[in-house]
Amino acid sequence: MADYQSCLAFLCELLQKYNRKRVMINENTGLVADLGLSSLEVMEVIEQIEDHYDISIPLNILPDVNTVADLAQKIRDLNP
């Protein structure tokens, strides 16, 4: 089971390699707005999350995911 804080820590570490703008990554960091992730990069991140947690993330939830906190919450919900 993945708790919210461990998901958050994993995501912050994972997203560092996509942090071209050198912003501070925290719960409120926007994946597209702040980090400027392209659609391809979002899919790469999703794939890495799925591999790490051995889960499948439905693509229809992505429009509701804007921040690191949103993504951590979805991972926690999908990984009971």
Side-chain angles (χ1 to χ4, degrees):
M1 176 177 183
D3 65 69
Y4 176 79
Q5 290 300 323
S6 67
C7 291
L8 193 61
F10 172 74
L11 289 174
C12 288
E13 183 178 330
L14 173 65
L15 292 169
Q16 279 301 328
K17 68 180 173 181
Y18 298 96
N19 191 3
R20 292 179 298 278
K21 296 181 177 182
R22 304 277 184 234
V23 298
M24 185 169 154
I25 299 176
N26 58 39
E27 289 178 286
N28 300 317
T29 304
L31 300 173
V32 175
D34 297 324
L35 293 175
L37 294 182
S38 69
S39 56
L40 178 60
E41 289 170 327
V42 169
M43 295 311 297
E44 289 173 0
V45 168
I46 295 298
E47 181 182 359
Q48 292 176 59
I49 293 167
E50 289 178 333
D51 289 347
H52 181 80
Y53 287 104
D54 194 28
I55 59 174
S56 179
I57 299 175
L59 296 180
N60 65 339
I61 68 165
L62 293 182
D64 298 329
V65 175
N66 296 308
T67 65
V68 175
D70 294 339
L71 190 51
Q73 184 66 42
K74 295 294 184 188
I75 294 168
R76 192 183 65 96
D77 293 346
L78 290 168
N79 195 14

